[in-house]
């Protein structure tokens, strides 16, 4: 099981990757709150996706987040490292994303 600090670092790496993808693919019109819930640690992080960038990442949950990702700490780490394919993880129910269909399409452009 990964630690909370390792998960925080992985989310920072994800934020950097999203920013690079937003710059390369052009701005993505997506401005939504985001929550990442780690089921095995009983903790969460929240922030905002704005212009394809993940900003304001903080500890704690946002129950009203428009986009919510739930997974285990280890799956978050392997997902961010690129060793876990997101579509396969979603199909295997290792990762759950709650968002509108339009937001999912926009997220796909960023990831």
């Amino acid at each position: 099981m990964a630690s909370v600090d390792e998960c925080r670092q992985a989310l920072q790496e994800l934020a950097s990757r999203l920013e690079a993808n937003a710059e390369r693919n052009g701005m993505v019109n997506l401005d939504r709150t985001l929550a990442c819930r780690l089921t095995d640690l009983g903790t969460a992080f929240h922030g905002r996706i704005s212009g394809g960038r993940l900003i304001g990442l903080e500890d704690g949950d946002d129950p009203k987040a428009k986009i919510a990702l739930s997974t285990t700490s280890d799956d978050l780490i392997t997902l961010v490292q690129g060793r876990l394919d997101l579509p396969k993880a979603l199909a295997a129910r290792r990762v759950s994303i709650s968002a509108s269909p339009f937001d999912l399409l926009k997220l796909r452009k960023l990831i």
Side-chain angles (χ1 to χ4, degrees), residues 1 19-21 24 26 34-35 39 45 48 54 81 96-97 100:
M1 180 181 333
E19 184 169 348
N21 288 345
R24 185 174 46 247
L34 169 77
T39 56
F45 298 93
R48 174 172 283 288
L54 178 57
Q81 291 173 343
S96 167
I97 299 177
S100 76

Side-chain angles (χ1 to χ4, degrees), residues 28-83:
V28 175
N29 184 19
L30 183 61
D31 187 14
R32 299 284 186 270
T33 53
L34 169 77
C36 177
R37 299 173 181 132
L38 303 171
T39 56
D40 60 334
L41 296 178
T43 192
F45 298 93
H46 70 275
R48 174 172 283 288
I49 296 176
S50 180
R53 291 169 172 79
L54 178 57
I55 56 174
L57 190 61
E58 299 179 11
D59 290 3
D61 197 1
D62 179 358
K64 296 181 181 178
K66 297 293 182 187
I67 300 171
L69 178 131
S70 297
T71 189
T72 65
S73 58
D74 288 337
D75 284 343
L76 174 67
I77 301 293
T78 55
L79 185 67
V80 171
Q81 291 173 343
R83 296 184 294 137

Side-chain angles (χ1 to χ4, degrees), residues 77-98:
I77 301 293
T78 55
L79 185 67
V80 171
Q81 291 173 343
R83 296 184 294 137
L84 178 61
D85 183 59
L86 183 58
K88 288 180 182 178
L90 288 167
R93 298 183 189 261
R94 292 174 66 178
V95 174
S96 167
I97 299 177
S98 174

